[in-house]
Amino acid sequence: MKALYAEQFAPQDPLAGLCFGDRPEPSRSEGHEIVRVVAASLNRHDLWTLAGVTMVPFDPPVTLGCDGAGIDQNGRAVTIFPVLGHGPKFQMLTDGVDGTLAALVKVPVANVVRKPEGLSFEEAACLGTTWLTAWSALVGRARLQDGERVLVQGVSGGLSNAVIALARALGAHVTATSRTEQGHILGLKLGANEVVAPGTPLADPVDVVIDSVGAKTWGHSLQSLAFGGRAVCLGATSGRIGETHLRTIFANELEIYGHKMGTEEEFRALCDFVEWRDLHPFIGAHVDGLEAGQELFRRYARDEIAGKAVVRVDPALAPRRTADAQM
Ligand SMILES: NC(=O)c1ccc[n+]([C@@H]2O[C@H](COP(=O)([O-])OP(=O)(O)OC[C@H]3O[C@@H](n4cnc5c(N)ncnc54)[C@H](OP(=O)(O)O)[C@@H]3O)[C@@H](O)[C@H]2O)c1
C-alpha cells in the first residue's frame, strides 16, 4: 500500500529521509483494528521522527502520521487516539509503530474512537495530538475553571489554536500572543478575547498560562500569572532554556507543570466535548493524496502553515472544505 514514511533518520536535514512509496499492508491480529484512513494530519512529532528524535529507540523505515480519521472494519467512521501504552513509558504511533499517513493503519481496538458528529474526517484527523494535549493540559493539569483568565503563548501552531478554542469554550477569558498580523487575525477568529505581541505586559494577571513556545516566552508566562496561578509547559519550539525568576515563583506561590499528551478517557471526553460544543479544528492547508503530502511536509517544516496541515488520504471520502484554508 502507498504511504509517506521515514526511510532513514536525518538529524541535519529531516526531510531528506521522507519518502512516498510502498509499505507492507498491516495484517489482522487479535485486539487490533485496521482502519482505512480517510484523512491524516501532520504534527511536529513527525519532523522529530524524521530527525531521529523518538520516544523509544527503533530503526526506520516507519510510516509517519500520529493522527488520523477513517473507516473501521465494521464500517464505522472513527478517529484515532495516538498514544500507545501507559504512564511514563508511553509512546506514540510512529515511534516504531506504523502511523496514519498510509491507506491503512493498524491500532489497538481501544485506540479507535467514534468520529464526533458534525466533524469532517479532515477535522477529526486533527484531534489526536494537539487537541488532546490542549484539552488534557487545560482540564486535567491546570484545572481550568469557568470565568478564569488564560494566557496562550502563540496562535499559529496547531496546539495554540486548540488551546484558544477549548479555553474559550470552557468559559475562560483568553489572551493570546502572536508575532504576526495574520496570527492576530486568526487568534480573534478562533475566539481569543484579545491578541497581543509576545512579551506584552498584561493589564490583568492570569490564572493559567499554557506555553508551548518555550525559551522566547517562558519568562513572560511566569510574570503574567496571578497569585496561585498555574503554568503548563507543553513544548519548546523556540528553544529549551527559558528565563525563570525564582522570586516570582515563591512570592506568587505558582504551580508549574510539565505535560504530555493525555489519556484515552480524556480523548473520549474531548471528542464528546467538541461534538457538544460544535468546535472545529482550524485547518490551514490540505492536499489530496499521499504523494502531495511530501510538498505539504516541506511547507510545514518551513513554518508556512498556520493551523493544522491535513492530507486527504482518500479524497473521495474527505470532501473539500475551502473556508479554512483561505486564511
Ligand atoms: N506536550 C505534548 O504532548 C505536545 C503535544 C503536541 C505538541 N507539542 C509541542 O508543542 C509545540 C507547538 O506545537 P504546534 O503543533 O502548535 O506547532 P509549532 O509550529 O511548533 O507552533 C509554533 C507556535 O509557537 C509560536 N512561536 C514560534 N516561535 C516563536 C517565537 N520565537 N516567539 C514567540 N512565539 C513563537 C507560534 O506563534 P505565532 O506564529 O502566532 O507567533 C506558534 O503558535 C511544539 O514544540 C510541539 O513539539 C507538545
Side-chain angles (χ1 to χ4, degrees), residues 197-305:
T200 303
L202 302 188
D204 296 305
V206 298
D207 305 290
V208 171
V209 175
I210 306 289
D211 191 332
S212 64
V213 178
K216 299 284 187 196
T217 52
W218 185 244
H220 178 243
S221 290
L222 297 186
Q223 293 297 336
S224 301
L225 281 167
F227 185 87
R230 293 93 77 196
V232 186
C233 170
L234 292 176
T237 296
S238 67
R240 293 180 181 177
I241 302 187
E243 189 181 62
T244 301
H245 286 262
L246 299 177
R247 189 174 187 287
T248 306
I249 296 174
F250 69 75
N252 289 335
E253 297 190 8
L254 303 183
E255 298 176 36
I256 298 177
Y257 300 99
H259 192 73
K260 282 192 298 191
M261 298 300 293
T263 64
E264 181 199 326
E265 291 69 30
E266 286 174 322
F267 187 67
R268 291 178 188 277
L270 166 68
C271 289
D272 290 345
F273 187 76
V274 298
E275 182 174 273
W276 173 49
R277 297 304 303 269
D278 196 25
L279 300 178
H280 298 264
F282 174 71
I283 296 170
H286 40 196
V287 294
D288 283 348
L290 287 161
E291 188 165 12
Q294 295 173 102
E295 181 53 26
L296 191 69
F297 256 109
R298 287 186 203 102
R299 292 179 58 202
Y300 182 67
R302 290 194 299 260
D303 285 334
E304 289 177 6
I305 300 168

Side-chain angles (χ1 to χ4, degrees), residues 61-87:
V62 70
T63 301
L64 296 165
C66 302
D67 296 349
I71 313 276
D72 73 6
Q73 289 165 218
N74 298 315
R76 293 185 316 156
V78 297
T79 183
I80 291 170
F81 169 59
V83 176
L84 305 172
H86 302 282

Side-chain angles (χ1 to χ4, degrees), residues 41-95:
S41 69
L42 311 190
N43 282 288
R44 205 141 281 265
H45 193 87
D46 295 303
L47 298 180
W48 289 121
T49 301
L50 286 160
V53 181
T54 60
M55 294 175 96
V56 293
F58 68 92
D59 291 323
V62 70
T63 301
L64 296 165
C66 302
D67 296 349
I71 313 276
D72 73 6
Q73 289 165 218
N74 298 315
R76 293 185 316 156
V78 297
T79 183
I80 291 170
F81 169 59
V83 176
L84 305 172
H86 302 282
K89 291 209 168 151
F90 82 78
Q91 64 193 80
M92 305 268 291
L93 268 182
T94 72
D95 286 316

Side-chain angles (χ1 to χ4, degrees), residues 138-152:
L138 286 168
V139 176
R141 197 61 84 175
R143 312 179 308 278
L144 181 67
Q145 302 297 311
D146 190 9
E148 286 194 314
R149 301 182 78 87
V150 175
L151 171 63
V152 185

